[in-house]
Amino acid sequence: MRTLLLVILFLCGARSRAKSRPNFVLFMADDLGIGDPGCYGNKTLRTPNIDRLASEGVKLTQHLAASPLCTPSRAAFLTGRYPIRSGMASQSQVGVFLFSASSGGLPRSEITFAKLLKTEGYSTALIGKWHLGTSCHNRTDFCHHPLSHGFDYFHGLPVTNLRDCKPGDGTVFTAAFQLLVFSPLQVIGITLLTLAVLKYLGLLRVPPAAFFCLLFLAALILVLLLAFLHYFRPLNCFLMRDHDISQQPMSYDNLTQRLTADAAQFLQRNAETPFLLVLSYLQVHTALFSSEDFAGKSKHGAYGDAAEEMDWSVGQILDVLDELKLANNTLVYFSSDQGAHVEEMSIRGEVHGGSNGIYKGGKANNWEGGIRVPGVLRWPGVIQAGLEIDEPTSNMDIFPTVAKLAGAPLPEDRIIDGRDLMPLLRGESQHSDHEFLFHYCNFYLNAVRWHPRNSTSIWKAFFFTPNFSPEGANGCFSTHVCFCHGRHVTYHDPPLLFDLSKDPRERNPLTPTSEPQFREILGAMQQAADRHTETLRDVPNQLSLGNIIWKPWLQMCCSSPSLSCQCDREKQDGTGSR
């Protein structure tokens, strides 16, 4: 009887503990600007469900992405660590993964909040975009896959949504084609013409083999270009369900509805147990897409249509939480992986990027427009409704916040750069736990933010800034994104200093004349940067050239005998999430 009583008490305690721990629904948009949602001031883009979250919870007005690019920002979000610590910060111009058959990715040694919650008995799912790698050595080791990082279930896109994934929407490889295809073809053409003229004039004896070799080389380049254009979409733009390809190439038809329905089904199936759902939207990264119900309905063209459909999806999930009576026991978070891509234009000249509000710059640079993102959290009865917090916070903060609420101890064998948000959200603290934040442009420390404990000032010092082009523009339109080193940046000595509390648009850099403590402020920020740098360790570069190039032995294909890679198991299976 005593043993039976102990078992009953244990089971009751476990059940009570499970009920006391919240569920988590984390919405992550792609390239959504802080000026896009209505709750952040947009008057024409309709986002009633995101606005509802803000009115029922807390709106962060200085919420910062740890990186202004997709891959490193998402690595930081999941691990609570600056991406340079995990090797997810590129030293070259390419800062993200472009191919499904690349060997780089989030190392298995990294601990995500999904891993921590899984050990605490949570059901975990990631639905939507991953963009943190798939396999290392062969196509079935799945070393970087979501299921290797704590998620029980994955349904979505292993890489990212690109223009090349949607026929007729152009390509992101224009610069590469110019360098590797069109320029060599021009050289070959000029060489052929020159040799032909010299031979015709009798000034040079040119063997036929020389012409043949040049023509063969030109033909080979053209064949490789045509093969790339033909095969890129099926080989890189596909959906997976767990470890299996479910649709190749990916179809945009009702894609948001399909992923949203799967997310809702996951909630319904796990309503009796603690759960973590990360709904990682493909919107509003190009290629832009929307279903028939939303196409042409917004005041902002294709971009607005996509954003409004994403907002609809948020509302569907909130409705499911209400129906299951789980809203009061679920922490909901909405954000974007970085700011809007201001240089994004369609092949027809339409603006396909969003709004960063009053802030300068955008995706791929560390001006405020590139890293200041929407940040909304709701937990009825715990977080005060309608609260607005203007303290510096980071998407890395979700890691320790979620872990602590779930009862999972933080790992002690590594530095966690995020800070628990709950004291700030509950009103127990009025000051951010981040005195310093470090803004990286890929591998390179670009800027430091300092919010002194005894001051309302928020200092930001740039060691270098991107060279916008054309001159006077608000982005790097000639290269489509800004780069982080070499001729693409201007270095500053002394660093460029701003007080964001007075100059959030970053228009007026301070000088020793305009700021009496100019040198003392920069000295303190440099010391903080030096202390931070001392904590870094050498780790394998996951975004090295060798790790981002396409490797045929890693290529996944649902029809393995050829590279046709055509299948649609989304309709055939009709299976839902676990």
Side-chain angles (χ1 to χ4, degrees), residues 192-209 211:
L192 279 170
L193 182 61
T194 303
L195 291 177
V197 170
L198 290 174
K199 182 176 182 180
Y200 177 77
L201 296 175
L203 299 176
L204 184 68
R205 293 184 60 185
V206 183
F211 290 102

Side-chain angles (χ1 to χ4, degrees), residues 60 64 80 127 147 192 213 246-247 259 317 381 387 400 427 448 486 563:
L60 305 173
L64 304 162
I127 294 176
L147 268 61
L192 279 170
C213 289
S246 59
Q247 191 175 61
L259 295 176
I317 299 304
L387 192 63
V448 177
L563 287 177

Side-chain angles (χ1 to χ4, degrees), residues 401-569:
T401 303
V402 163
K404 187 170 183 179
L405 289 171
L410 293 179
E412 297 180 354
D413 62 341
R414 64 199 64 205
I415 292 174
I416 302 298
D417 298 298
R419 299 291 183 266
D420 181 11
L421 285 172
M422 290 311 295
L424 203 58
L425 300 177
R426 283 189 169 122
E428 298 165 1
S429 172
Q430 302 302 313
H431 207 287
S432 170
D433 208 21
H434 289 288
E435 182 176 2
F436 293 96
L437 280 165
F438 304 96
H439 303 303
Y440 280 87
C441 188
N442 289 341
F443 180 82
Y444 307 96
L445 183 57
N446 187 182
V448 177
R449 181 182 303 250
W450 180 28
H451 187 25
R453 302 293 184 195
N454 58 350
S455 172
T456 58
S457 292
I458 299 170
W459 308 106
K460 185 177 178 185
F462 282 94
F463 300 116
F464 61 87
T465 50
N467 296 329
F468 284 172
S469 58
E471 191 173 346
N474 187 40
C476 303
F477 288 86
S478 61
T479 53
H480 190 60
V481 293
C482 295
F483 297 125
C484 301
H485 56 84
R487 62 184 176 85
H488 301 286
V489 302
T490 297
Y491 294 92
H492 302 286
D493 186 15
L496 216 55
L497 181 65
F498 298 90
D499 182 355
L500 298 178
S501 67
K502 299 175 182 175
D503 181 23
R505 299 170 187 252
E506 298 170 292
R507 288 180 171 178
N508 304 302
L510 300 170
T511 66
T513 303
S514 60
E515 173 50 59
Q517 293 184 298
F518 181 84
R519 301 204 181 280
E520 290 82 358
I521 293 166
L522 287 179
M525 297 176 87
Q526 184 61 62
Q527 288 177 10
D530 292 342
R531 291 194 300 270
H532 163 73
T533 303
E534 289 173 0
T535 69
L536 302 178
R537 301 290 178 265
D538 288 334
V539 293
N541 181 3
Q542 298 296 326
L543 287 152
S544 66
L545 178 62
N547 277 328
I548 64 173
I549 60 171
W550 179 69
K551 296 182 171 69
W553 58 91
L554 297 181
Q555 183 62 57
M556 296 182 65
C557 185
C558 59
S559 50
S560 54
S562 70
L563 287 177
S564 60
C565 299
Q566 303 280 334
C567 65
D568 190 352
R569 296 168 187 153

Side-chain angles (χ1 to χ4, degrees), residues 311-379:
D311 179 81
W312 165 85
S313 172
V314 170
Q316 293 297 297
I317 299 304
L318 297 182
D319 289 347
V320 172
L321 291 176
D322 289 338
E323 291 164 9
L324 297 173
K325 295 181 171 49
L326 294 173
N328 290 343
N329 193 40
T330 302
L331 176 65
V332 178
Y333 168 74
F334 179 89
S335 190
S336 177
D337 55 0
Q338 66 266 324
H341 192 173
V342 296
E343 299 95 342
E344 192 63 79
M345 305 281 288
S346 76
I347 56 176
R348 292 172 289 277
E350 301 164 341
V351 175
H352 275 190
S355 168
N356 294 314
I358 67 169
Y359 302 108
K360 185 176 182 177
K363 176 179 179 176
N365 62 73
N366 281 302
W367 293 110
E368 288 296 283
I371 54 175
R372 196 182 288 223
V373 293
V376 179
L377 296 103
R378 186 193 76 171
W379 187 2

Side-chain angles (χ1 to χ4, degrees), residues 27 49-53 256 260 279 281 308-320 332 334:
F27 297 109
N49 296 295
I50 299 170
D51 300 347
R52 172 189 164 193
L53 276 178
T256 303
T260 302
L279 187 46
Y281 290 106
E308 290 185 2
E309 184 164 26
M310 176 182 65
D311 179 81
W312 165 85
S313 172
V314 170
Q316 293 297 297
I317 299 304
L318 297 182
D319 289 347
V320 172
V332 178
F334 179 89

Side-chain angles (χ1 to χ4, degrees), residues 105-342:
L106 188 64
R108 221 168 194 162
S109 58
E110 286 298 312
I111 298 174
T112 66
F113 53 67
K115 275 185 184 178
L116 292 181
L117 267 61
K118 188 173 181 178
T119 62
E120 296 297 319
Y122 276 72
S123 298
T124 58
L126 187 143
I127 294 176
K129 170 177 168 173
W130 175 239
H131 210 186
L132 294 172
T134 306
S135 295
C136 292
H137 306 293
N138 62 70
R139 69 189 64 165
T140 59
D141 66 31
F142 298 112
C143 65
H144 304 306
H145 190 277
L147 268 61
S148 298
H149 283 291
F151 291 101
D152 299 316
Y153 177 71
F154 170 62
H155 181 199
L157 187 61
V159 194
T160 188
N161 178 32
L162 293 172
R163 288 195 175 277
D164 303 74
C165 295
K166 190 178 181 184
D169 260 38
T171 179
V172 299
F173 296 102
T174 303
F177 290 160
Q178 181 63 46
L179 177 66
L180 301 175
V181 177
F182 302 126
S183 293
L185 285 176
Q186 287 175 345
V187 172
I188 291 171
I190 293 170
T191 303
L192 279 170
L193 182 61
T194 303
L195 291 177
V197 170
L198 290 174
K199 182 176 182 180
Y200 177 77
L201 296 175
L203 299 176
L204 184 68
R205 293 184 60 185
V206 183
F211 290 102
F212 174 79
C213 289
L214 288 171
L215 288 170
F216 177 79
L217 181 58
L220 179 62
I221 292 173
L222 284 172
V223 167
L224 290 174
L225 172 64
L226 293 173
F228 182 90
L229 294 174
H230 179 75
Y231 287 113
F232 181 88
R233 179 171 171 250
L235 295 185
N236 298 282
C237 309
F238 55 84
L239 296 178
M240 295 184 72
R241 198 184 295 272
D242 291 337
H243 288 146
D244 300 317
I245 294 176
S246 59
Q247 191 175 61
Q248 192 172 21
M250 171 181 69
S251 169
Y252 288 99
D253 292 343
N254 295 319
L255 179 56
T256 303
Q257 282 87 340
R258 284 184 276 145
L259 295 176
T260 302
D262 202 16
Q265 192 175 38
F266 171 81
L267 298 180
Q268 291 159 354
R269 291 188 175 190
N270 294 280
E272 298 301 318
T273 59
F275 59 77
L276 161 71
L277 169 65
V278 178
L279 187 46
S280 177
Y281 290 106
L282 278 63
Q283 290 101 334
V284 278
H285 197 294
T286 52
L288 296 174
F289 65 97
S290 54
S291 66
E292 187 176 339
D293 291 340
F294 292 89
K297 302 295 175 60
S298 80
K299 296 180 180 179
H300 291 272
Y303 183 91
D305 298 344
E308 290 185 2
E309 184 164 26
M310 176 182 65
D311 179 81
W312 165 85
S313 172
V314 170
Q316 293 297 297
I317 299 304
L318 297 182
D319 289 347
V320 172
L321 291 176
D322 289 338
E323 291 164 9
L324 297 173
K325 295 181 171 49
L326 294 173
N328 290 343
N329 193 40
T330 302
L331 176 65
V332 178
Y333 168 74
F334 179 89
S335 190
S336 177
D337 55 0
Q338 66 266 324
H341 192 173
V342 296

